[in-house]
Amino acid sequence: MPQAPHDSEAADNSQLIEDFGLRIGRAMGWPPMAGRLVGILMLSPDPMTLSELQQALGASKGSASEMTRLLMTNGTVDRVKLPGVRQAVYEWRADAWVGCLQHQLDQTKQLLELAEAAQERGRYLPPAQQTRLLDMRTYYAFMVEQLQRLLEDYRSQLRHDG
């Protein structure tokens, strides 16, 4: 599926993929392989099968599968079925950064729900612990509000730029 790049282009892509592996992997708390997969799929002109990803990563089928699931969960990669192609393929989402921000918002909402429940259940705790739980709820409520605003602003920017 993907076209073979020229030698210098392949070297540049290889270095870029390694940069993604180190930097995105580290920043997101992911294994470097997930960061490399980001680079591979972002730079690929075509969707790739799991076998192609496995080969590009130099990884086992299980590891490649685990990394694609991680990226799908984080909103950047889609698994699609193409007409006439037996195997499913993976592709970088056209709205990957929206998906990434939406994933962060969803995670933060879950933590806000936890904070609210903890505050309710901890209403009989001593004042110091109640304050900690209130601070937690206040933090996550603030973060949800800000992430929602960021997501709206980002989507709006995309509509104006495109």
Side-chain angles (χ1 to χ4, degrees):
M1 280 191 179
Q3 299 173 351
H6 299 315
D7 289 344
S8 63
E9 188 180 324
D12 288 345
N13 283 353
S14 179
Q15 184 57 54
L16 189 54
I17 288 166
E18 286 307 310
D19 286 347
F20 273 94
L22 291 174
R23 294 181 184 191
I24 287 183
R26 188 179 305 133
M28 298 297 289
W30 296 341
M33 187 182 300
R36 287 195 304 274
L37 184 57
V38 165
I40 289 167
L41 286 171
M42 190 185 294
L43 298 175
S44 177
D46 300 309
M48 297 175 71
T49 65
L50 188 58
S51 297
E52 290 168 333
L53 292 172
Q54 177 185 348
Q55 183 178 6
L57 288 167
S60 70
K61 187 174 184 176
S63 292
S65 179
E66 184 178 343
M67 295 304 110
T68 56
R69 278 194 306 274
L70 175 68
L71 297 181
M72 289 186 314
T73 298
N74 279 271
T76 57
V77 170
D78 276 335
R79 181 178 187 263
V80 296
K81 189 78 170 111
L82 298 177
V85 178
R86 211 181 91 207
Q87 296 178 331
V89 294
Y90 298 87
E91 65 182 359
W92 187 254
R93 284 179 47 171
D95 66 345
W97 304 115
V98 169
C100 188
L101 191 50
Q102 182 66 57
H103 175 69
Q104 291 174 352
L105 174 58
D106 293 343
Q107 285 181 308
T108 306
K109 284 179 177 178
Q110 289 175 20
L111 292 169
L112 174 58
E113 290 172 10
L114 168 64
E116 290 169 344
Q119 188 180 14
E120 176 63 28
R121 287 190 194 110
R123 66 183 177 273
Y124 301 110
L125 291 172
Q129 284 78 10
Q130 285 186 29
T131 298
R132 291 174 188 164
L133 294 173
L134 173 62
D135 290 347
M136 180 182 176
R137 189 197 56 75
T138 301
Y139 171 78
Y140 284 114
F142 173 80
M143 291 301 295
V144 164
E145 181 182 316
Q146 296 302 310
L147 286 169
Q148 285 173 327
R149 185 175 296 134
L150 278 173
L151 185 56
E152 291 167 13
D153 289 350
Y154 184 65
R155 283 181 169 146
S156 176
Q157 179 182 336
L158 290 176
R159 285 191 292 273
H160 290 101
D161 289 348

